[in-house]
Amino acid sequence: MMSEQEAVLLEQKGAALWITINRPEKRNAINNDVIARIREGYLKAESDPDIRVIVLTAAGEKAFCAGGDLQPGQGFAFDYSKPNAEYADLFRLAVNTTTPCIVRVNGVCMAGGMGLLCMGDMAVAHSNVKFGLPEVKVGLFPMQVLSLMQRLVPRRVLREWTLTGEPFTADEALQHGLLNHVVAPEELDDKVDWLINRLTDKSPTAIRRGKYAMKAIEDMSFEQAIAYTETQLATMTLTEDAKEGMAAFNEKRSPSWPGR
């Protein structure tokens, strides 16, 4: 399952699938191989009920992802005969995945790496990480990243980050909703493990259906969303997980989730 020569390593640790970008010598920059392997990891997690959470991270200590590989034919190699780009298709896959994803930001996160950060449901970074959208400095713009980031951070903040291209700190990223937690570098793994454990002891059925519902109501009006969610809640009471959860509550014991 794992090879040290792979652009991205896939490793299952308990109920978590770790997807690790493995190009530290290139600051874990994105190319088509990286995109393809991350996609492979997401598809594996979605098809395997034993995988309860995805952890997306990178090898080394210097960079989570510095963005697209700027070497000729690497990160900006487009097939103009295709209507969709691979990076954009990865976003499409991520937002429709019902397996929760934690992004572990272990170093510099820039440009296209910010898109990978935004793909996650939760994100943890250490306090020394620098973030940024510097595309304007090389005549580009974070077009695809906008599609995810505009839903996470205030509009004026997003405009400052994208139009100036200036870097910002982990504390600023936390303040504006891009991160869930900022910790000391030596506490990064403990915080990620804490989140993994908080997810994997809960109902897998509730989490999957909950993520599906959150995506479904994103662009609905209130009336549409409440009509949809009231039917979803009624349906959830029929699942085996709901029956087990309520029985365990009444019997004052820990639930044993069937995952159905």
Side-chain angles (χ1 to χ4, degrees):
M1 186 174 177
M2 262 179 60
S3 166
E4 294 300 321
Q5 304 306 311
E6 293 278 7
V8 174
L9 306 179
L10 305 179
E11 182 181 11
Q12 189 168 344
K13 302 178 183 179
L17 180 68
W18 285 64
I19 302 176
T20 304
I21 306 170
N22 189 38
R23 305 183 75 213
E25 75 287 354
K26 297 290 187 181
R27 301 179 78 208
N28 293 310
I30 300 167
N31 61 15
N32 284 339
D33 287 344
V34 169
I35 293 171
R37 283 286 284 174
I38 294 175
R39 176 182 176 83
E40 183 181 332
Y42 267 79
L43 291 172
K44 175 176 175 56
E46 198 70 348
S47 64
D48 187 344
D50 291 332
I51 296 173
R52 299 285 311 284
V53 58
I54 297 166
V55 178
L56 178 59
T57 189
E61 298 179 356
K62 293 183 179 180
F64 167 72
C65 179
D69 193 328
L70 297 182
Q71 297 301 308
Q74 292 295 315
F76 288 91
F78 295 99
D79 180 351
Y80 294 103
S81 69
K82 296 171 62 177
N84 295 352
E86 282 81 1
Y87 184 61
D89 281 345
L90 181 61
F91 284 6
R92 291 181 177 99
L93 174 62
V95 300
N96 286 294
T97 296
T98 58
T99 306
C101 176
I102 301 166
V103 182
R104 174 187 176 272
V105 188
N106 55 303
V108 168
C109 182
M110 296 281 170
M114 297 282 278
L116 300 183
L117 167 62
C118 293
M119 289 190 336
D121 298 293
M122 288 154 273
V124 184
H126 68 66
S127 53
N128 296 338
V129 173
K130 294 295 183 184
F131 298 83
L133 293 160
E135 283 89 338
V136 291
K137 297 179 181 181
V138 294
L140 300 172
F141 203 78
M143 295 294 187
Q144 295 166 97
V145 176
L146 287 174
S147 62
L148 295 179
M149 194 174 287
Q150 68 173 349
R151 299 176 181 273
L152 296 175
V153 302
R155 187 166 297 178
R156 287 191 182 277
V157 173
L158 181 59
R159 288 180 177 178
E160 179 179 340
W161 289 350
T162 57
L163 298 177
T164 69
E166 292 302 311
F168 54 94
T169 66
D171 285 338
E172 291 174 291
L174 177 68
Q175 174 189 348
H176 296 303
L178 199 55
L179 299 172
N180 294 82
H181 304 280
V182 173
V183 297
E186 64 273 14
E187 296 173 359
L188 182 61
D189 285 333
D190 286 344
K191 194 62 179 182
V192 171
D193 287 342
W194 181 86
L195 275 174
I196 291 171
N197 292 333
R198 300 292 79 72
L199 289 166
T200 55
D201 68 350
K202 307 305 189 306
S203 161
T205 300
I207 289 173
R208 285 195 303 267
R209 292 186 65 94
K211 275 205 65 180
Y212 184 91
M214 283 190 282
K215 170 66 169 58
I217 68 173
E218 227 170 37
D219 296 315
M220 291 183 185
S221 68
F222 167 75
E223 288 299 337
Q224 291 169 323
I226 198 67
Y228 176 82
T229 53
E230 65 184 342
T231 62
Q232 289 300 301
L233 181 59
T235 302
M236 286 188 74
T237 64
L238 303 175
T239 67
E240 295 300 315
D241 272 17
K243 294 172 184 175
E244 166 62 11
M246 289 185 277
F249 176 83
N250 287 310
E251 294 165 13
K252 297 181 172 56
R253 59 174 175 82
S254 297
S256 178
W257 303 114
R260 299 189 298 276

